[in-house]
Amino acid sequence: MGWSRRVAALVSGILLGGCVSTGTAIAASGPKLDVEMFGSDWARPGQLVDLSLEGVPRGSKAVTAISSAFSGPVALKWSDDAGRFDAVATLAMSDKAEVYPLVAKIGDRAVARNKIRVLPSQRPSFEVQALYGTAARPGEQIDTEFDDLYPGETGTDFTVRSTALADPVRLVHDNQYDHYTPRLFTGRPYLRPEVKDGTYAFDLYGPDGRRVAEKSLTVRAARPGDSDYLGKARGPLFSPTFDLDTAREHGYRVRAGGRVYVLWKDTYPDPGEENRLSATSPAFTQPVNLRRDDTKAADGDDPRYYAMATVRTGLTPGTYPVTVVAHHGRVKRTGQLIVTGRPVAKRSVTAGPGTGWLGASGGLLVLTALGVYVVRRRRHPTA
């Protein structure tokens, strides 16, 4: 089935929901019965279908959906959020490949109709695939899934084993992404970063320890000519705060004993770089590990990594190199950091006497007191 297929199914459901909402706005008055399925207009025996009935008063009683595709009547419940009656129904495993009529009723009165198209059952299938391209990279995540929605299949404990993985991976059912297929079990493990190029077997084991299926996957590190071989790195850049968008590559100044943020950007980082990247410099008290920026501020941006470094005290003012090595040594970039010998003066509410807001306030108080003293001297001259 593949990860892309599950995402496509989710998107199709969202789009279908959008079309339903739009259609409702322009449709003629009267109840409307809609059906959402895995393939937008089809489903397999045992899969779930979402039913919705619009245009029916909230207080209606005994609202049901009837179809021979179900094992019995399905009760629809009112949803305050959607402003309609909703239900989730399961197609019977015994369903044949045909089109089944569907009717919504209030009590014994039919108020809306639709149809459900059911496809033939599919034999259990096991898939292992790269998330991007045809070959998986060492250290990269892959997609593994087992779909055994088929009459007679049972069990929920499935495990994938391979020499390309550090540990066995248990497949689990994801109710959000795999809503329509209740017997779809998935996992997204990481390949070992040190795994060599080659084709690896992935074995699926059932709850009784018996091997159920086997698939193979090609693993290949980036090579010259590949878009991600050298990535597209930029840095190291420097910034005084976590506002990394204002970071600079050249001419940044920091005082001895101060701190500086180091930033690294790369369009195509090697898998696992978040555990290997570091910035080294004779100006730093120690090398700093650059960690991946997973905050919302990085959404839509190239992958970026950062760390805060402490500059050694007592350094001679001058220019010091800062080096970052990436892509297993294939990329090495050095920036220049200017270290000054004295602290940079700052004005703030926490400044000492005579500086910042508190200093100004103190001066104002002194002038006020002096003015009061002069006025009193004039009103009461000495003898």
Side-chain angles (χ1 to χ4, degrees), residues 134 176 204 317:
T134 57
Q176 178 180 359
L204 175 71

Side-chain angles (χ1 to χ4, degrees), residues 13 24 26 33 84 133 150 155 262 289 303 365 371:
T24 302
I26 62 176
L33 176 61
R84 66 191 184 192
Y150 193 77
V262 182
N289 296 322
L365 291 174

Side-chain angles (χ1 to χ4, degrees), residues 84 87 106 109 152 165 168 205 216 220 282-286 325 337 363 367:
R84 66 191 184 192
I106 299 179
R109 181 170 60 93
L165 303 175
Y205 291 86
S216 60
R220 183 176 67 79
F284 295 163
T285 56
Q286 62 183 7
V325 178
L337 185 65
L367 291 176

Side-chain angles (χ1 to χ4, degrees), residues 112-195:
R113 298 179 183 276
N114 208 325
K115 296 179 180 179
I116 298 176
R117 181 188 174 205
V118 179
L119 298 184
S121 292
Q122 296 178 2
R123 297 289 303 178
S125 62
F126 176 48
E127 299 291 339
V128 179
Q129 58 188 13
L131 291 181
Y132 312 100
T134 57
R137 301 287 192 234
E140 192 173 67
Q141 269 188 307
I142 60 172
D143 182 48
T144 59
E145 60 180 47
F146 179 51
D147 182 346
D148 74 338
L149 186 64
Y150 193 77
E153 298 297 329
T154 59
T156 58
D157 189 6
F158 300 99
T159 304
V160 175
R161 300 174 182 270
S162 174
T163 57
L165 303 175
D167 298 294
V169 176
R170 184 172 181 267
L171 304 187
V172 298
H173 178 71
D174 190 315
N175 287 322
Q176 178 180 359
Y177 290 103
D178 306 324
H179 164 74
Y180 293 104
T181 307
R183 292 199 57 80
L184 180 60
F185 306 94
T186 62
R188 298 185 70 186
Y190 285 91
L191 298 173
R192 292 187 295 112
E194 69 277 9
V195 67

